[in-house]
Amino acid sequence: MPVRSSVRHTNMLGSIQNSMTVMTEINYLIPDYYSKFTCIADRCPITCCQEWKIGVDADTNRKWKKLQAPETVPEQKKNLSAYTIKKDGQRVIGLDSDHRCPFLNSEKLCRLVVAYGDKVLSETCTTFPREEHRFPTHTEKMLMPCCPAVIDLWNKQKSLHFPNVSDTLSDTGDTDTSVLFLLREKLLILLDDSSRTIEEELLESFYILQELYQHQPLTKELLEDYFSDSTVKELGNAIAEVELPPLDLINECNELLQDLSVNYQKEGLYQDTLNPILALAEEISEALSDSTGNPDDTKAYESTLLEQWEQFTQYLSPYEPLLRNFLRNEIFSDLLLPDSDLENVLVQMQWIALEYAAFRHSIFLRWLLDGADTNLSKISYETLRQYLVIITRMTGYETADIYEYLENSFESLLWDWGYFALIIGK
C-alpha cells in the first residue's frame, strides 16, 4: 500500500501578490491557500498518526538509535529506532494493535514532541501534509488532500488560485517544458467553469488529452486550438449526446472500489469506514447481475437504484465548489511531475479520475446506508470529508506504483475514452 511522499518543507515561500504567489528569485511557487494551513493537532478528526505508513528517514533513524522512548509510551523498548520496522522496502513506524502510532497519546498528541520537541520528528511527520515537486527551473509546493484540515481550508474558499509558470519558462527558451505547463494551466481553467458539471469537464479534459497525445508534437498553437471556446463548446455538445448508463457506472465503480480496498482489508485498516460500504457494493453488484430472479423484481430494483443515484447527485451538488477545488489541486500537484511527458500526463489524469470515482462512489454507498429515503438523506460535510481523506490516503501512490496498478488491473495502461466515461459519468 504505497503512499505519496513529500520532501522537506522550507519556510522560503516567496511573495504573495494579488491573492496568488508568483515566481521569486529562488523560484518557489505556491497556491494561494498554502500559507494558510495550520495543523489542528488534538482537534483532528482523522489523525495522520493512525492506519497508514509513517516513514522514518535514515537520518532520523540514526538519531533515534541514541534516544530512549518517553516513559509515557506503553511498551518500552531499548531506543526509538526499535519502534520502526521495514515494510515494502521502506522504514516505517510499527503501529500498535489498533493500527495507531505507539507515540500517539490519548489526547491525539505526539509523545515524542511533548518530550523532545519538534526536531525529533521524522521527515514525514515534519512535512505532512505539505508536498513539493522540484523541477529544473523551479520548485512547486502544495498541500495533500489526505488531511482533514486541508479539506477544511479548501471548503472555505470559493475557488483556488494557482501560479502561472508557462510564460516565465517560455522566456527561457525551454519550449517543450513550457508547453506542458501551459497544458496544465488550460486544464485548470477548464475545470474552474461552474457553468458545467465536474463530470462534463473531466470528460472534455480527457478527450482533449487523448487528441493531443495522438497529434504530437505538442505545440502552443495546438493547445490554443483544442482549448478554444468554439472547440470546447463543440466537444461539450458531442459529449452531451453520448449515452452513459448510470447502472453500468454503479456496477463498475463497485468493482473499482472493492479492488482498491483489497490490501487495506487484508491488513484490517479503515475497517469502520470501508467494510459497511464494501458489503453494500457487493450486494448491489450481485443484485444487478442476478439472472435467476424474477425479471419484474430485477427491473424494480434497477429503477429504484437509478432514482437513488439521481437523488444522490442532487444532494452532492452543494459540495461542487469543494470538489472542484480538490480536483484542481490534484491537477496542479499530480498531473505534471518532474521529467513528465504527455503519456505520463494521461496516466496521471486517469489516476485522478479513478480517485474521484472511488471517492464519489464511497459517498453514494454511505448515503444509501444512512437512509436514502429518510430525513438523514442529506450528505453531511463530516461524512464527505472523512471519505475524501481516506480514499486519497488509499490512492496516494508513487508514480511507479500507479503504473504497476494500472498495468495489472486493466487491459492497457492507457484507457480509451469510453472507460474513462464509464467511471465518471455525467
Side-chain angles (χ1 to χ4, degrees), residues 191-242:
L191 281 161
D192 199 29
D193 183 358
S194 58
S195 68
R196 302 193 310 287
T197 68
I198 288 173
E199 285 74 14
E200 289 170 335
E201 290 166 353
L202 285 173
L203 295 179
E204 293 165 5
S205 298
F206 192 65
Y207 184 89
I208 292 173
L209 283 177
Q210 287 191 316
E211 285 290 299
L212 294 173
Y213 183 72
Q214 295 297 327
H215 293 86
Q216 297 186 74
L218 186 63
T219 64
K220 182 177 180 180
E221 292 72 25
L222 197 61
L223 281 180
E224 297 296 345
D225 181 25
Y226 273 97
F227 284 95
S228 68
D229 291 342
S230 58
T231 301
V232 171
K233 182 177 180 180
E234 182 180 352
L235 176 58
N237 291 337
I239 289 175
E241 299 297 320
V242 178

Side-chain angles (χ1 to χ4, degrees), residues 302-318:
E302 292 175 349
S303 178
T304 299
L305 194 59
L306 283 173
E307 291 177 4
Q308 291 171 327
W309 177 259
E310 291 175 4
Q311 187 181 17
F312 163 74
T313 58
Q314 293 174 8
Y315 281 121
L316 189 63
S317 62

Side-chain angles (χ1 to χ4, degrees), residues 161-268:
H161 298 278
F162 301 94
N164 185 314
V165 64
S166 62
D167 291 341
T168 303
L169 289 182
S170 64
D171 294 340
T172 68
D174 189 352
T175 306
D176 291 342
T177 302
S178 66
V179 76
L180 283 173
F181 282 99
L182 179 60
L183 169 60
R184 185 181 67 176
E185 288 157 16
K186 294 286 188 183
L187 290 170
L188 286 171
I189 293 171
L190 186 64
L191 281 161
D192 199 29
D193 183 358
S194 58
S195 68
R196 302 193 310 287
T197 68
I198 288 173
E199 285 74 14
E200 289 170 335
E201 290 166 353
L202 285 173
L203 295 179
E204 293 165 5
S205 298
F206 192 65
Y207 184 89
I208 292 173
L209 283 177
Q210 287 191 316
E211 285 290 299
L212 294 173
Y213 183 72
Q214 295 297 327
H215 293 86
Q216 297 186 74
L218 186 63
T219 64
K220 182 177 180 180
E221 292 72 25
L222 197 61
L223 281 180
E224 297 296 345
D225 181 25
Y226 273 97
F227 284 95
S228 68
D229 291 342
S230 58
T231 301
V232 171
K233 182 177 180 180
E234 182 180 352
L235 176 58
N237 291 337
I239 289 175
E241 299 297 320
V242 178
E243 184 178 355
L244 298 174
L247 287 178
D248 291 345
L249 178 150
I250 292 170
N251 214 7
E252 183 63 27
C253 286
N254 277 338
E255 294 186 17
L256 189 65
L257 182 60
Q258 291 177 83
D259 189 56
L260 281 171
S261 304
V262 167
N263 287 336
Y264 293 88
Q265 283 189 295
K266 287 180 180 177
E267 296 201 17

Side-chain angles (χ1 to χ4, degrees), residues 270-302:
Y270 307 126
Q271 292 183 84
D272 293 343
T273 302
L274 291 178
N275 288 353
I277 64 172
L278 292 174
L280 180 57
E282 186 174 355
E283 178 184 319
I284 292 173
S285 293
E286 289 176 354
L288 291 176
S289 61
D290 185 10
S291 59
T292 62
N294 186 310
D296 291 336
D297 291 342
T298 301
K299 188 174 181 180
Y301 180 83
E302 292 175 349

Side-chain angles (χ1 to χ4, degrees), residues 52 217 295 327:
W52 68 335
L327 281 169

